[in-house]
Amino acid sequence: MTDPFSPWPLSGVVRLAPLAGETTMSFVNRLASRYNVTVTGLLSAMAGPGVRGLWGKGCLVGEVFLAPAVRRQLASLCQVPESHLSRALPSWNEGADAKANGDQPNVRFASGSTVPAVMLGCRLCTAARTGAACSARLYSRLRSRICIRHQCWSLDSLALDRVTLVEGQVSLAGLPEVIRAHQRLLPLLRRRDSCENAFAVARAVVTSWWDEGRRDEVIWPARLGRVCAHFPEAEVAVLARDVVTYPEAVAVTAILCDQLWRQRVLEDTHGQMPHTLAEVPRLLTELARRLGRPWLVEQLASSSAGALFAWVRACVRRERGAVPEEDVWAVPVAHRPRGLAAQLRELRLQHADSAPVGGRPSRAEQAYQVGLAHARSYAARHGHLAVPKYGRHEGFALGS
């Protein structure tokens, strides 16, 4: 007897359950491995021989979107109800445009650079839940970034088109403060709806401090030294950024999502738009205390830009009723952390260009480097790249 929705006899079907938060591509890949076929071969058996778009292992960082008929066949093949697959796989019901009759099999692929951030699930947890030594890719979630049981941090699977730049896990055995920070964060995630949004703001704040390389900072360099063995020497400062700054990001999150501190910001500013962070002294003092960096008060006081300053001003605007609550947690584009994939590509291009292959760079390349240097200098001074539409701004001329 055969299932009308399955290309294989039911007697040969194996049950394969999805992992919570897993990408559909990862699940399909694990299912194909159980049947000892390729992903393209498995989907071609369901959607027809026209399935194309998979080249190499790097594509697994991307996503696959399935039409209803293919989803039904896949559910039948893995012997898991569609309702369960829909709950476990975030993209299960998304993306694929069914053909004219609404029921014809159809498959659409998306490269890793065009889908939300994906990370490698904890290998030991995956093995325990699947009963096999295999890897699974999950959509990046704050609460599952760290596996406390196995003391590991999952890196985002950074992708450029179909090429995976880097992915993997970092042991946190030598970083107990990162584990403790995550243990403090988990209750906040459960109790406060704004916690994840607050973490996004906090991450932008501490990342800007990391990029500035403050001369008084001694905690991060020491922590970086304990984690550097897990990364290529030339790329450690990029890849380790989020791991090293995580305890501070959690500490800042706890302050930002606390209604008491929002109220104190309003009291210190008297409901008026601040011009610098010096106008919220209690907030700066509390940040310095919780982070164990007393010098932060002085260094932040004169700041009139950056994610923290934008958050303070948004709190005031929210109190006035000028903006909705979600605007309090909106990190301005100019203050968002640079993507690690972009930084890695730039770093590798710099290394590739460090050994000249003969000849001078073209005038276009020279002009690009000059403009890039101007932009970096301006961003370092002002914390953003916004300039007036006309004229000059503090010595930086438009088009210079």
Side-chain angles (χ1 to χ4, degrees):
M1 176 181 178
T2 61
D3 188 320
F5 295 125
S6 175
W8 287 284
L10 282 177
S11 59
V13 170
V14 295
R15 187 178 190 279
L16 184 75
L19 301 176
E22 188 175 9
T23 68
T24 304
M25 174 67 85
S26 172
F27 178 69
V28 170
N29 179 64
R30 291 197 297 113
L31 185 62
S33 297
R34 291 291 295 270
Y35 284 99
N36 198 29
V37 297
T38 64
V39 171
T40 302
L42 177 68
L43 294 178
S44 294
M46 300 179 182
V51 173
R52 295 184 178 88
L54 292 181
W55 294 274
K57 188 177 180 181
C59 68
L60 298 177
V61 178
E63 187 56 288
V64 60
F65 302 105
L66 309 173
V70 181
R71 293 200 295 265
R72 287 199 301 272
Q73 293 184 61
L74 201 64
S76 176
L77 185 63
C78 68
Q79 293 292 280
V80 175
E82 266 202 85
S83 58
H84 183 71
L85 292 171
S86 178
R87 288 193 300 270
L89 306 176
S91 64
W92 180 254
N93 293 316
E94 295 179 11
D97 298 320
K99 293 187 179 179
N101 61 12
D103 201 35
Q104 188 170 344
N106 186 37
V107 174
R108 181 168 65 84
F109 298 104
S111 65
S113 59
T114 62
V115 296
V118 172
M119 67 184 188
L120 203 64
C122 173
R123 292 187 178 93
L124 294 177
C125 287
T126 300
R129 292 169 186 167
T130 63
C134 61
S135 62
R137 290 166 179 83
L138 316 176
Y139 284 104
S140 295
R141 298 175 67 231
L142 186 52
R143 56 174 41 87
S144 56
R145 171 70 64 189
I146 292 174
C147 177
I148 295 176
R149 174 180 295 178
H150 300 118
Q151 296 189 355
C152 66
W153 170 288
S154 292
L155 295 170
D156 276 342
S157 300
L158 305 179
L160 173 61
D161 296 326
R162 295 182 177 88
V163 180
T164 304
L165 290 178
V166 64
E167 70 174 355
Q169 293 173 330
V170 178
S171 171
L172 299 176
L175 298 168
E177 65 270 39
V178 177
I179 296 289
R180 290 194 297 268
H182 196 61
Q183 290 172 325
R184 291 193 298 270
L185 181 66
L186 290 177
L188 289 176
L189 288 170
R190 288 192 293 269
R191 293 198 305 265
R192 302 192 178 177
D193 295 337
S194 63
C195 186
E196 290 209 32
N197 294 327
F199 183 86
V201 177
R203 179 171 172 263
V205 171
V206 299
T207 297
S208 69
W209 299 344
W210 171 271
D211 292 338
E212 290 167 10
R214 298 174 182 269
R215 63 180 182 276
D216 296 309
E217 181 60 58
V218 295
I219 297 176
W220 283 345
R223 195 178 293 157
L224 182 62
R226 283 181 276 150
V227 75
C228 65
H230 298 283
F231 301 100
E233 182 178 354
E235 300 173 353
V236 62
V238 174
L239 294 175
R241 180 193 72 189
D242 292 343
V243 183
V244 172
T245 61
Y246 189 74
E248 287 72 22
V250 171
V252 175
T253 300
I255 295 175
L256 299 186
C257 67
D258 189 336
Q259 192 62 37
L260 171 65
W261 283 104
R262 284 182 63 172
Q263 185 59 40
R264 288 178 176 173
V265 164
L266 297 173
E267 291 171 0
D268 286 350
T269 59
H270 305 290
Q272 302 300 313
M273 296 298 287
H275 299 289
T276 67
L277 286 175
E279 297 176 53
V280 285
R282 288 190 289 178
L283 175 64
L284 299 189
T285 301
E286 183 67 9
L287 281 170
R289 184 187 70 81
R290 294 201 192 186
L291 298 177
R293 293 165 171 83
W295 45 267
L296 263 181
V297 176
E298 181 180 354
Q299 293 204 14
L300 292 178
S302 61
S303 176
S304 59
L308 184 61
F309 184 67
W311 178 81
V312 169
R313 290 173 67 89
C315 288
V316 175
R317 288 196 297 270
R318 172 59 182 151
E319 178 65 15
R320 293 176 172 181
V323 297
E325 175 67 18
E326 54 264 27
D327 278 24
V328 173
W329 308 113
V331 181
V333 174
H335 306 315
R336 291 174 190 171
R338 285 192 66 200
L340 297 185
Q343 292 188 61
L344 276 179
R345 286 194 293 269
E346 182 179 302
L347 189 62
R348 292 180 179 183
L349 284 173
Q350 288 175 355
H351 289 164
D353 294 340
S354 60
V357 294
R360 293 168 54 86
S362 68
R363 293 184 62 183
E365 291 170 335
Q366 293 179 23
Y368 171 78
Q369 293 301 328
V370 170
L372 190 60
H374 276 303
R376 285 175 174 162
S377 175
Y378 186 90
R381 289 200 307 273
H382 304 290
H384 57 78
L385 289 174
V387 295
K389 185 175 181 180
Y390 302 103
R392 295 175 177 268
H393 186 279
E394 298 188 30
F396 183 81
L398 289 175
S400 61

